Amino acid sequence: MEREKKETPEKAGAPVRKNVLRGIYYAAGILILAMGLTLNTKAGLGVSPIISVPYSISQLYALDFGNSTLCAYVVLVLVEVCLHKGRQRLLDLLQIPFSIVFTRFLNLFADCFPQEPVEFWQQLLVLALAILLTGVGAAMTVNARLIPNPGDGIVNAIAEKIGRSMGFTKNIFDLFCVCITFCIGAVTGHWLVGIGIGTVLAVLAVGRVIALFNHLVKIKF
């Protein structure tokens, strides 16, 4: 009986420690993801599909990239709310303050990192690092099971709605984003803004990085 009393405080403190670790893990994932997406824009070889729309708009109209991404994320959240029809509404709406914080980090890293590299091998190196960080950051934020990134949240909402896997839905959604970006460029007379070999490699490689990270780093919350 006495032994049980001694163990009780430790058992009571375990969930608190676990939640603190989860919060730290989640925050680190946000920073890594923001860094990866920012580097993706700095490589000069095309950006990842999900940010290609706000990136192309920011480039064509000389707008702030972080603010353009924030607007795009808010639209995605509103679509999620409509798809869920009241279910998970609070979790969906919490993605808006998440987006505000996240896009501020995009601007912060954009100011910290140097401009696009000139040499092609340097561009590939930056792109590889960007894909690695994007995959790791995405895996960490999803695995923490807190507030999802709007890009992941919309894919999950659509997957539930159409009854298909997240992998298949993400591929379709990425293609949809690329098509919108292409149309924006075509209408404005600036072809392939934000679309390039980096876009294709991001589609193919980010998912593989997520899978590899989850295989090597088995942290469950």
Side-chain angles (χ1 to χ4, degrees), residues 6-88:
K6 289 181 180 178
E7 291 178 350
T8 301
E10 294 181 6
K11 290 181 179 179
V16 176
R17 288 194 296 271
K18 184 176 180 180
N19 288 332
V20 170
L21 289 174
R22 175 191 279 187
I24 295 173
Y25 186 82
Y26 179 71
I30 291 176
L31 290 174
I32 293 172
L33 179 59
M35 193 179 301
L37 291 177
T38 305
L39 280 176
N40 199 265
T41 66
K42 296 291 184 178
L45 295 174
V47 301
S48 60
I50 204 158
I51 63 167
S52 63
V53 176
Y55 177 78
S56 63
I57 292 174
S58 68
Q59 292 295 301
L60 290 171
Y61 297 102
L63 300 175
D64 182 86
F65 172 56
N67 291 339
S68 298
T69 305
L70 175 59
C71 292
Y73 278 176
V74 170
V75 171
L76 294 182
V77 171
L78 294 178
V79 173
E80 280 184 63
V81 172
C82 294
L83 289 175
H84 284 143
K85 294 182 179 178
R87 297 181 296 109
Q88 303 178 346

Side-chain angles (χ1 to χ4, degrees), residues 167-190:
F168 172 82
T169 307
K170 179 166 175 52
N171 288 337
I172 297 300
F173 188 73
D174 284 346
L175 180 60
F176 174 71
C177 290
V178 170
C179 288
I180 291 179
T181 303
F182 181 81
C183 290
I184 291 173
V187 169
T188 57
H190 297 81

Side-chain angles (χ1 to χ4, degrees), residues 141-157:
T141 54
V142 170
N143 292 346
R145 294 188 296 163
L146 292 174
I147 303 170
N149 180 299
D152 297 319
I154 187 65
V155 169
N156 185 53

